[in-house]
PDB file of all heavy atoms in Angstrom:
ATOM      1  N   PRO A1747       4.285 -12.088 -36.063  1.00 67.00           N
ATOM      2  CA  PRO A1747       4.775 -13.425 -35.864  1.00 67.00           C
ATOM      3  C   PRO A1747       3.996 -14.135 -34.699  1.00 67.00           C
ATOM      4  O   PRO A1747       3.809 -13.416 -33.676  1.00 67.00           O
ATOM      5  CB  PRO A1747       6.262 -13.331 -35.667  1.00 67.00           C
ATOM      6  CG  PRO A1747       6.573 -11.936 -36.268  1.00 67.00           C
ATOM      7  CD  PRO A1747       5.348 -11.128 -35.999  1.00 67.00           C
ATOM      8  N   MET A1748       3.716 -15.388 -34.790  1.00 67.00           N
ATOM      9  CA  MET A1748       2.936 -16.084 -33.734  1.00 67.00           C
ATOM     10  C   MET A1748       3.756 -16.094 -32.418  1.00 67.00           C
ATOM     11  O   MET A1748       3.127 -16.004 -31.336  1.00 67.00           O
ATOM     12  CB  MET A1748       2.631 -17.602 -34.217  1.00 67.00           C
ATOM     13  CG  MET A1748       1.806 -18.327 -33.147  1.00 67.00           C
ATOM     14  SD  MET A1748       1.554 -20.044 -33.677  1.00 67.00           S
ATOM     15  CE  MET A1748       0.444 -19.787 -35.016  1.00 67.00           C
ATOM     16  N   TYR A1749       5.024 -16.150 -32.461  1.00 60.00           N
ATOM     17  CA  TYR A1749       5.854 -16.325 -31.281  1.00 60.00           C
ATOM     18  C   TYR A1749       5.645 -15.047 -30.341  1.00 60.00           C
ATOM     19  O   TYR A1749       5.768 -15.124 -29.165  1.00 60.00           O
ATOM     20  CB  TYR A1749       7.275 -16.548 -31.528  1.00 60.00           C
ATOM     21  CG  TYR A1749       8.150 -15.294 -32.010  1.00 60.00           C
ATOM     22  CD1 TYR A1749       8.665 -14.420 -31.109  1.00 60.00           C
ATOM     23  CD2 TYR A1749       8.269 -15.127 -33.471  1.00 60.00           C
ATOM     24  CE1 TYR A1749       9.367 -13.358 -31.665  1.00 60.00           C
ATOM     25  CE2 TYR A1749       8.943 -14.078 -33.839  1.00 60.00           C
ATOM     26  CZ  TYR A1749       9.552 -13.168 -32.983  1.00 60.00           C
ATOM     27  OH  TYR A1749      10.218 -12.082 -33.381  1.00 60.00           O
ATOM     28  N   GLN A1750       5.427 -13.900 -30.994  1.00 64.00           N
ATOM     29  CA  GLN A1750       5.249 -12.669 -30.200  1.00 64.00           C
ATOM     30  C   GLN A1750       3.977 -12.693 -29.424  1.00 64.00           C
ATOM     31  O   GLN A1750       3.847 -12.373 -28.336  1.00 64.00           O
ATOM     32  CB  GLN A1750       5.228 -11.438 -31.103  1.00 64.00           C
ATOM     33  CG  GLN A1750       6.565 -11.139 -31.783  1.00 64.00           C
ATOM     34  CD  GLN A1750       6.639  -9.875 -32.517  1.00 64.00           C
ATOM     35  OE1 GLN A1750       5.600  -9.128 -32.572  1.00 64.00           O
ATOM     36  NE2 GLN A1750       7.750  -9.637 -33.095  1.00 64.00           N
ATOM     37  N   THR A1751       2.881 -13.225 -30.111  1.00 72.00           N
ATOM     38  CA  THR A1751       1.550 -13.346 -29.383  1.00 72.00           C
ATOM     39  C   THR A1751       1.672 -14.337 -28.296  1.00 72.00           C
ATOM     40  O   THR A1751       1.202 -14.095 -27.146  1.00 72.00           O
ATOM     41  CB  THR A1751       0.513 -13.778 -30.380  1.00 72.00           C
ATOM     42  OG1 THR A1751       0.412 -12.770 -31.367  1.00 72.00           O
ATOM     43  CG2 THR A1751      -0.875 -13.849 -29.682  1.00 72.00           C
ATOM     44  N   ILE A1752       2.290 -15.502 -28.553  1.00 76.00           N
ATOM     45  CA  ILE A1752       2.399 -16.527 -27.477  1.00 76.00           C
ATOM     46  C   ILE A1752       3.300 -16.024 -26.310  1.00 76.00           C
ATOM     47  O   ILE A1752       3.005 -16.280 -25.170  1.00 76.00           O
ATOM     48  CB  ILE A1752       3.103 -17.799 -28.063  1.00 76.00           C
ATOM     49  CG1 ILE A1752       2.195 -18.483 -29.020  1.00 76.00           C
ATOM     50  CG2 ILE A1752       3.536 -18.734 -26.970  1.00 76.00           C
ATOM     51  CD1 ILE A1752       2.657 -19.747 -29.642  1.00 76.00           C
ATOM     52  N   LYS A1753       4.224 -15.159 -26.621  1.00 75.00           N
ATOM     53  CA  LYS A1753       5.151 -14.609 -25.571  1.00 75.00           C
ATOM     54  C   LYS A1753       4.326 -13.671 -24.575  1.00 75.00           C
ATOM     55  O   LYS A1753       4.394 -13.766 -23.395  1.00 75.00           O
ATOM     56  CB  LYS A1753       6.228 -13.781 -26.287  1.00 75.00           C
ATOM     57  CG  LYS A1753       7.111 -13.057 -25.305  1.00 75.00           C
ATOM     58  CD  LYS A1753       8.129 -12.292 -26.104  1.00 75.00           C
ATOM     59  CE  LYS A1753       8.896 -11.316 -25.273  1.00 75.00           C
ATOM     60  NZ  LYS A1753       9.912 -10.505 -26.041  1.00 75.00           N
ATOM     61  N   GLU A1754       3.389 -12.908 -25.254  1.00 77.00           N
ATOM     62  CA  GLU A1754       2.594 -12.025 -24.465  1.00 77.00           C
ATOM     63  C   GLU A1754       1.587 -12.782 -23.568  1.00 77.00           C
ATOM     64  O   GLU A1754       1.348 -12.536 -22.436  1.00 77.00           O
ATOM     65  CB  GLU A1754       1.823 -11.069 -25.365  1.00 77.00           C
ATOM     66  CG  GLU A1754       2.801 -10.002 -26.066  1.00 77.00           C
ATOM     67  CD  GLU A1754       1.908  -9.167 -27.029  1.00 77.00           C
ATOM     68  OE1 GLU A1754       0.740  -9.270 -27.192  1.00 77.00           O
ATOM     69  OE2 GLU A1754       2.562  -8.365 -27.681  1.00 77.00           O
ATOM     70  N   GLN A1755       1.014 -13.923 -24.153  1.00 80.00           N
ATOM     71  CA  GLN A1755       0.135 -14.707 -23.426  1.00 80.00           C
ATOM     72  C   GLN A1755       0.715 -15.425 -22.258  1.00 80.00           C
ATOM     73  O   GLN A1755       0.208 -15.499 -21.151  1.00 80.00           O
ATOM     74  CB  GLN A1755      -0.509 -15.845 -24.427  1.00 80.00           C
ATOM     75  CG  GLN A1755      -1.380 -15.215 -25.547  1.00 80.00           C
ATOM     76  CD  GLN A1755      -2.636 -14.709 -25.028  1.00 80.00           C
ATOM     77  OE1 GLN A1755      -2.715 -13.595 -24.565  1.00 80.00           O
ATOM     78  NE2 GLN A1755      -3.697 -15.456 -25.184  1.00 80.00           N
ATOM     79  N   ARG A1756       1.991 -15.869 -22.520  1.00 82.00           N
ATOM     80  CA  ARG A1756       2.680 -16.518 -21.373  1.00 82.00           C
ATOM     81  C   ARG A1756       2.938 -15.570 -20.273  1.00 82.00           C
ATOM     82  O   ARG A1756       2.875 -15.881 -19.048  1.00 82.00           O
ATOM     83  CB  ARG A1756       3.984 -17.057 -21.957  1.00 82.00           C
ATOM     84  CG  ARG A1756       3.868 -18.374 -22.734  1.00 82.00           C
ATOM     85  CD  ARG A1756       5.163 -18.735 -23.293  1.00 82.00           C
ATOM     86  NE  ARG A1756       5.171 -19.976 -24.135  1.00 82.00           N
ATOM     87  CZ  ARG A1756       6.114 -20.445 -24.922  1.00 82.00           C
ATOM     88  NH1 ARG A1756       7.272 -19.674 -24.991  1.00 82.00           N
ATOM     89  NH2 ARG A1756       6.079 -21.566 -25.499  1.00 82.00           N
ATOM     90  N   SER A1757       3.324 -14.292 -20.582  1.00 78.00           N
ATOM     91  CA  SER A1757       3.565 -13.320 -19.545  1.00 78.00           C
ATOM     92  C   SER A1757       2.291 -13.013 -18.758  1.00 78.00           C
ATOM     93  O   SER A1757       2.344 -12.947 -17.519  1.00 78.00           O
ATOM     94  CB  SER A1757       4.128 -12.026 -20.300  1.00 78.00           C
ATOM     95  OG  SER A1757       5.281 -12.223 -20.887  1.00 78.00           O
ATOM     96  N   GLU A1758       1.185 -12.908 -19.407  1.00 81.00           N
ATOM     97  CA  GLU A1758      -0.046 -12.626 -18.751  1.00 81.00           C
ATOM     98  C   GLU A1758      -0.417 -13.804 -17.877  1.00 81.00           C
ATOM     99  O   GLU A1758      -0.891 -13.644 -16.671  1.00 81.00           O
ATOM    100  CB  GLU A1758      -1.152 -12.318 -19.731  1.00 81.00           C
ATOM    101  CG  GLU A1758      -2.582 -12.081 -19.251  1.00 81.00           C
ATOM    102  CD  GLU A1758      -2.580 -10.864 -18.196  1.00 81.00           C
ATOM    103  OE1 GLU A1758      -1.616 -10.080 -18.251  1.00 81.00           O
ATOM    104  OE2 GLU A1758      -3.726 -10.683 -17.635  1.00 81.00           O
ATOM    105  N   LEU A1759      -0.296 -15.029 -18.414  1.00 85.00           N
ATOM    106  CA  LEU A1759      -0.562 -16.251 -17.575  1.00 85.00           C
ATOM    107  C   LEU A1759       0.281 -16.299 -16.378  1.00 85.00           C
ATOM    108  O   LEU A1759      -0.240 -16.576 -15.213  1.00 85.00           O
ATOM    109  CB  LEU A1759      -0.490 -17.441 -18.410  1.00 85.00           C
ATOM    110  CG  LEU A1759      -0.694 -18.838 -17.679  1.00 85.00           C
ATOM    111  CD1 LEU A1759      -2.121 -18.826 -17.096  1.00 85.00           C
ATOM    112  CD2 LEU A1759      -0.364 -19.959 -18.611  1.00 85.00           C
ATOM    113  N   HIS A1760       1.569 -15.987 -16.471  1.00 81.00           N
ATOM    114  CA  HIS A1760       2.479 -15.937 -15.368  1.00 81.00           C
ATOM    115  C   HIS A1760       2.061 -14.965 -14.337  1.00 81.00           C
ATOM    116  O   HIS A1760       2.087 -15.235 -13.123  1.00 81.00           O
ATOM    117  CB  HIS A1760       3.913 -15.757 -15.872  1.00 81.00           C
ATOM    118  CG  HIS A1760       4.989 -15.601 -14.797  1.00 81.00           C
ATOM    119  ND1 HIS A1760       5.296 -16.663 -13.962  1.00 81.00           N
ATOM    120  CD2 HIS A1760       5.684 -14.611 -14.423  1.00 81.00           C
ATOM    121  CE1 HIS A1760       6.236 -16.221 -13.141  1.00 81.00           C
ATOM    122  NE2 HIS A1760       6.486 -14.994 -13.391  1.00 81.00           N
ATOM    123  N   ARG A1761       1.638 -13.807 -14.819  1.00 80.00           N
ATOM    124  CA  ARG A1761       1.280 -12.808 -13.795  1.00 80.00           C
ATOM    125  C   ARG A1761       0.029 -13.192 -13.044  1.00 80.00           C
ATOM    126  O   ARG A1761      -0.041 -13.031 -11.809  1.00 80.00           O
ATOM    127  CB  ARG A1761       0.900 -11.457 -14.528  1.00 80.00           C
ATOM    128  CG  ARG A1761       0.544 -10.328 -13.709  1.00 80.00           C
ATOM    129  CD  ARG A1761       0.237  -9.008 -14.433  1.00 80.00           C
ATOM    130  NE  ARG A1761      -1.112  -9.190 -15.178  1.00 80.00           N
ATOM    131  CZ  ARG A1761      -2.291  -8.832 -14.578  1.00 80.00           C
ATOM    132  NH1 ARG A1761      -2.223  -8.434 -13.399  1.00 80.00           N
ATOM    133  NH2 ARG A1761      -3.341  -8.981 -15.256  1.00 80.00           N
ATOM    134  N   LEU A1762      -1.032 -13.733 -13.714  1.00 82.00           N
ATOM    135  CA  LEU A1762      -2.164 -14.224 -13.043  1.00 82.00           C
ATOM    136  C   LEU A1762      -1.885 -15.322 -12.101  1.00 82.00           C
ATOM    137  O   LEU A1762      -2.544 -15.405 -10.990  1.00 82.00           O
ATOM    138  CB  LEU A1762      -3.194 -14.494 -14.094  1.00 82.00           C
ATOM    139  CG  LEU A1762      -3.818 -13.383 -14.960  1.00 82.00           C
ATOM    140  CD1 LEU A1762      -4.704 -13.916 -16.031  1.00 82.00           C
ATOM    141  CD2 LEU A1762      -4.478 -12.383 -14.101  1.00 82.00           C
ATOM    142  N   VAL A1763      -1.048 -16.332 -12.466  1.00 82.00           N
ATOM    143  CA  VAL A1763      -0.659 -17.440 -11.568  1.00 82.00           C
ATOM    144  C   VAL A1763      -0.104 -16.879 -10.326  1.00 82.00           C
ATOM    145  O   VAL A1763      -0.374 -17.405  -9.187  1.00 82.00           O
ATOM    146  CB  VAL A1763       0.217 -18.342 -12.361  1.00 82.00           C
ATOM    147  CG1 VAL A1763       0.864 -19.401 -11.335  1.00 82.00           C
ATOM    148  CG2 VAL A1763      -0.635 -19.190 -13.405  1.00 82.00           C
ATOM    149  N   SER A1764       0.798 -15.896 -10.440  1.00 77.00           N
ATOM    150  CA  SER A1764       1.472 -15.360  -9.265  1.00 77.00           C
ATOM    151  C   SER A1764       0.415 -14.701  -8.268  1.00 77.00           C
ATOM    152  O   SER A1764       0.529 -14.916  -7.075  1.00 77.00           O
ATOM    153  CB  SER A1764       2.464 -14.317  -9.685  1.00 77.00           C
ATOM    154  OG  SER A1764       3.532 -14.862 -10.418  1.00 77.00           O
ATOM    155  N   ILE A1765      -0.491 -13.943  -8.834  1.00 80.00           N
ATOM    156  CA  ILE A1765      -1.598 -13.280  -8.035  1.00 80.00           C
ATOM    157  C   ILE A1765      -2.353 -14.409  -7.304  1.00 80.00           C
ATOM    158  O   ILE A1765      -2.618 -14.322  -6.097  1.00 80.00           O
ATOM    159  CB  ILE A1765      -2.425 -12.444  -8.909  1.00 80.00           C
ATOM    160  CG1 ILE A1765      -1.679 -11.244  -9.412  1.00 80.00           C
ATOM    161  CG2 ILE A1765      -3.691 -12.033  -8.168  1.00 80.00           C
ATOM    162  CD1 ILE A1765      -2.487 -10.363 -10.313  1.00 80.00           C
ATOM    163  N   TRP A1766      -2.836 -15.417  -8.015  1.00 81.00           N
ATOM    164  CA  TRP A1766      -3.668 -16.462  -7.432  1.00 81.00           C
ATOM    165  C   TRP A1766      -2.931 -17.315  -6.449  1.00 81.00           C
ATOM    166  O   TRP A1766      -3.395 -17.735  -5.375  1.00 81.00           O
ATOM    167  CB  TRP A1766      -4.280 -17.340  -8.559  1.00 81.00           C
ATOM    168  CG  TRP A1766      -5.261 -18.300  -7.986  1.00 81.00           C
ATOM    169  CD1 TRP A1766      -5.136 -19.708  -7.710  1.00 81.00           C
ATOM    170  CD2 TRP A1766      -6.527 -18.051  -7.395  1.00 81.00           C
ATOM    171  NE1 TRP A1766      -6.253 -20.164  -7.181  1.00 81.00           N
ATOM    172  CE2 TRP A1766      -7.190 -19.217  -6.915  1.00 81.00           C
ATOM    173  CE3 TRP A1766      -7.255 -16.812  -7.262  1.00 81.00           C
ATOM    174  CZ2 TRP A1766      -8.434 -19.240  -6.370  1.00 81.00           C
ATOM    175  CZ3 TRP A1766      -8.479 -16.762  -6.692  1.00 81.00           C
ATOM    176  CH2 TRP A1766      -9.024 -18.025  -6.187  1.00 81.00           C
ATOM    177  N   SER A1767      -1.589 -17.538  -6.670  1.00 78.00           N
ATOM    178  CA  SER A1767      -0.753 -18.331  -5.746  1.00 78.00           C
ATOM    179  C   SER A1767      -0.752 -17.557  -4.338  1.00 78.00           C
ATOM    180  O   SER A1767      -0.886 -18.233  -3.375  1.00 78.00           O
ATOM    181  CB  SER A1767       0.673 -18.395  -6.350  1.00 78.00           C
ATOM    182  OG  SER A1767       1.512 -19.027  -5.379  1.00 78.00           O
ATOM    183  N   ARG A1768      -0.511 -16.317  -4.354  1.00 75.00           N
ATOM    184  CA  ARG A1768      -0.452 -15.497  -3.173  1.00 75.00           C
ATOM    185  C   ARG A1768      -1.894 -15.488  -2.431  1.00 75.00           C
ATOM    186  O   ARG A1768      -1.931 -15.625  -1.190  1.00 75.00           O
ATOM    187  CB  ARG A1768       0.043 -14.102  -3.443  1.00 75.00           C
ATOM    188  CG  ARG A1768       1.507 -14.169  -3.769  1.00 75.00           C
ATOM    189  CD  ARG A1768       2.050 -12.732  -3.764  1.00 75.00           C
ATOM    190  NE  ARG A1768       1.408 -11.859  -4.770  1.00 75.00           N
ATOM    191  CZ  ARG A1768       1.967 -11.703  -6.079  1.00 75.00           C
ATOM    192  NH1 ARG A1768       2.970 -12.401  -6.388  1.00 75.00           N
ATOM    193  NH2 ARG A1768       1.331 -10.900  -6.880  1.00 75.00           N
ATOM    194  N   HIS A1769      -2.894 -15.468  -3.203  1.00 77.00           N
ATOM    195  CA  HIS A1769      -4.250 -15.401  -2.637  1.00 77.00           C
ATOM    196  C   HIS A1769      -4.634 -16.720  -2.045  1.00 77.00           C
ATOM    197  O   HIS A1769      -5.178 -16.878  -0.917  1.00 77.00           O
ATOM    198  CB  HIS A1769      -5.279 -14.973  -3.667  1.00 77.00           C
ATOM    199  CG  HIS A1769      -6.660 -15.095  -3.257  1.00 77.00           C
ATOM    200  ND1 HIS A1769      -7.148 -14.327  -2.228  1.00 77.00           N
ATOM    201  CD2 HIS A1769      -7.689 -15.933  -3.569  1.00 77.00           C
ATOM    202  CE1 HIS A1769      -8.438 -14.597  -1.937  1.00 77.00           C
ATOM    203  NE2 HIS A1769      -8.818 -15.682  -2.809  1.00 77.00           N
ATOM    204  N   ALA A1770      -4.431 -17.833  -2.797  1.00 79.00           N
ATOM    205  CA  ALA A1770      -4.872 -19.151  -2.463  1.00 79.00           C
ATOM    206  C   ALA A1770      -3.821 -19.856  -1.631  1.00 79.00           C
ATOM    207  O   ALA A1770      -4.065 -21.055  -1.204  1.00 79.00           O
ATOM    208  CB  ALA A1770      -5.269 -19.998  -3.691  1.00 79.00           C
ATOM    209  N   ASN A1771      -2.586 -19.405  -1.516  1.00 78.00           N
ATOM    210  CA  ASN A1771      -1.481 -20.040  -0.823  1.00 78.00           C
ATOM    211  C   ASN A1771      -1.192 -21.352  -1.452  1.00 78.00           C
ATOM    212  O   ASN A1771      -1.001 -22.414  -0.641  1.00 78.00           O
ATOM    213  CB  ASN A1771      -1.850 -20.177   0.671  1.00 78.00           C
ATOM    214  CG  ASN A1771      -0.522 -20.509   1.509  1.00 78.00           C
ATOM    215  OD1 ASN A1771       0.536 -20.168   1.079  1.00 78.00           O
ATOM    216  ND2 ASN A1771      -0.804 -21.149   2.643  1.00 78.00           N
ATOM    217  N   GLU A1772      -1.221 -21.406  -2.739  1.00 83.00           N
ATOM    218  CA  GLU A1772      -0.893 -22.679  -3.433  1.00 83.00           C
ATOM    219  C   GLU A1772       0.412 -22.467  -4.269  1.00 83.00           C
ATOM    220  O   GLU A1772       0.624 -21.363  -4.769  1.00 83.00           O
ATOM    221  CB  GLU A1772      -1.982 -23.024  -4.351  1.00 83.00           C
ATOM    222  CG  GLU A1772      -3.379 -23.340  -3.746  1.00 83.00           C
ATOM    223  CD  GLU A1772      -4.473 -23.619  -4.745  1.00 83.00           C
ATOM    224  OE1 GLU A1772      -4.123 -23.896  -5.936  1.00 83.00           O
ATOM    225  OE2 GLU A1772      -5.618 -23.769  -4.401  1.00 83.00           O
ATOM    226  N   PRO A1773       1.271 -23.457  -4.466  1.00 82.00           N
ATOM    227  CA  PRO A1773       2.411 -23.233  -5.301  1.00 82.00           C
ATOM    228  C   PRO A1773       2.022 -23.202  -6.688  1.00 82.00           C
ATOM    229  O   PRO A1773       1.105 -23.591  -7.207  1.00 82.00           O
ATOM    230  CB  PRO A1773       3.196 -24.600  -5.024  1.00 82.00           C
ATOM    231  CG  PRO A1773       2.242 -25.552  -4.479  1.00 82.00           C
ATOM    232  CD  PRO A1773       1.192 -24.806  -3.775  1.00 82.00           C
ATOM    233  N   HIS A1774       2.919 -22.410  -7.433  1.00 81.00           N
ATOM    234  CA  HIS A1774       2.721 -22.090  -8.852  1.00 81.00           C
ATOM    235  C   HIS A1774       2.512 -23.432  -9.642  1.00 81.00           C
ATOM    236  O   HIS A1774       1.623 -23.558 -10.504  1.00 81.00           O
ATOM    237  CB  HIS A1774       3.809 -21.311  -9.425  1.00 81.00           C
ATOM    238  CG  HIS A1774       3.819 -19.886  -8.894  1.00 81.00           C
ATOM    239  ND1 HIS A1774       4.274 -18.870  -9.593  1.00 81.00           N
ATOM    240  CD2 HIS A1774       3.459 -19.339  -7.725  1.00 81.00           C
ATOM    241  CE1 HIS A1774       4.249 -17.726  -8.946  1.00 81.00           C
ATOM    242  NE2 HIS A1774       3.730 -18.061  -7.731  1.00 81.00           N
ATOM    243  N   GLY A1775       3.376 -24.424  -9.406  1.00 79.00           N
ATOM    244  CA  GLY A1775       3.339 -25.693 -10.148  1.00 79.00           C
ATOM    245  C   GLY A1775       2.023 -26.352  -9.980  1.00 79.00           C
ATOM    246  O   GLY A1775       1.494 -26.810 -10.961  1.00 79.00           O
ATOM    247  N   ALA A1776       1.384 -26.288  -8.804  1.00 82.00           N
ATOM    248  CA  ALA A1776       0.093 -26.961  -8.583  1.00 82.00           C
ATOM    249  C   ALA A1776      -0.983 -26.213  -9.401  1.00 82.00           C
ATOM    250  O   ALA A1776      -1.943 -26.864  -9.920  1.00 82.00           O
ATOM    251  CB  ALA A1776      -0.205 -26.981  -7.138  1.00 82.00           C
ATOM    252  N   ILE A1777      -0.898 -24.878  -9.403  1.00 87.00           N
ATOM    253  CA  ILE A1777      -1.875 -24.108 -10.073  1.00 87.00           C
ATOM    254  C   ILE A1777      -1.844 -24.385 -11.647  1.00 87.00           C
ATOM    255  O   ILE A1777      -2.834 -24.617 -12.268  1.00 87.00           O
ATOM    256  CB  ILE A1777      -1.729 -22.603  -9.855  1.00 87.00           C
ATOM    257  CG1 ILE A1777      -1.928 -22.299  -8.409  1.00 87.00           C
ATOM    258  CG2 ILE A1777      -2.659 -21.805 -10.729  1.00 87.00           C
ATOM    259  CD1 ILE A1777      -1.693 -20.827  -8.032  1.00 87.00           C
ATOM    260  N   HIS A1778      -0.561 -24.425 -12.180  1.00 85.00           N
ATOM    261  CA  HIS A1778      -0.412 -24.826 -13.692  1.00 85.00           C
ATOM    262  C   HIS A1778      -1.002 -26.223 -13.839  1.00 85.00           C
ATOM    263  O   HIS A1778      -1.617 -26.350 -14.937  1.00 85.00           O
ATOM    264  CB  HIS A1778       1.116 -24.674 -13.953  1.00 85.00           C
ATOM    265  CG  HIS A1778       1.555 -23.361 -14.206  1.00 85.00           C
ATOM    266  ND1 HIS A1778       1.133 -22.606 -15.276  1.00 85.00           N
ATOM    267  CD2 HIS A1778       2.401 -22.540 -13.544  1.00 85.00           C
ATOM    268  CE1 HIS A1778       1.810 -21.398 -15.188  1.00 85.00           C
ATOM    269  NE2 HIS A1778       2.556 -21.392 -14.233  1.00 85.00           N
TER     270      HIS A1778
END
Side-chain angles (χ1 to χ4, degrees):
M1748 181 182 292
Y1749 75 85
Q1750 291 186 3
T1751 303
I1752 290 180
K1753 173 182 172 183
E1754 293 175 3
Q1755 295 290 79
R1756 287 173 176 172
S1757 295
E1758 177 64 6
L1759 178 61
H1760 176 64
R1761 182 181 74 86
L1762 294 173
V1763 167
S1764 295
I1765 292 174
W1766 187 251
S1767 172
R1768 293 190 293 270
H1769 171 70
N1771 195 27
E1772 296 179 10
H1774 291 209
I1777 297 173
H1778 280 292

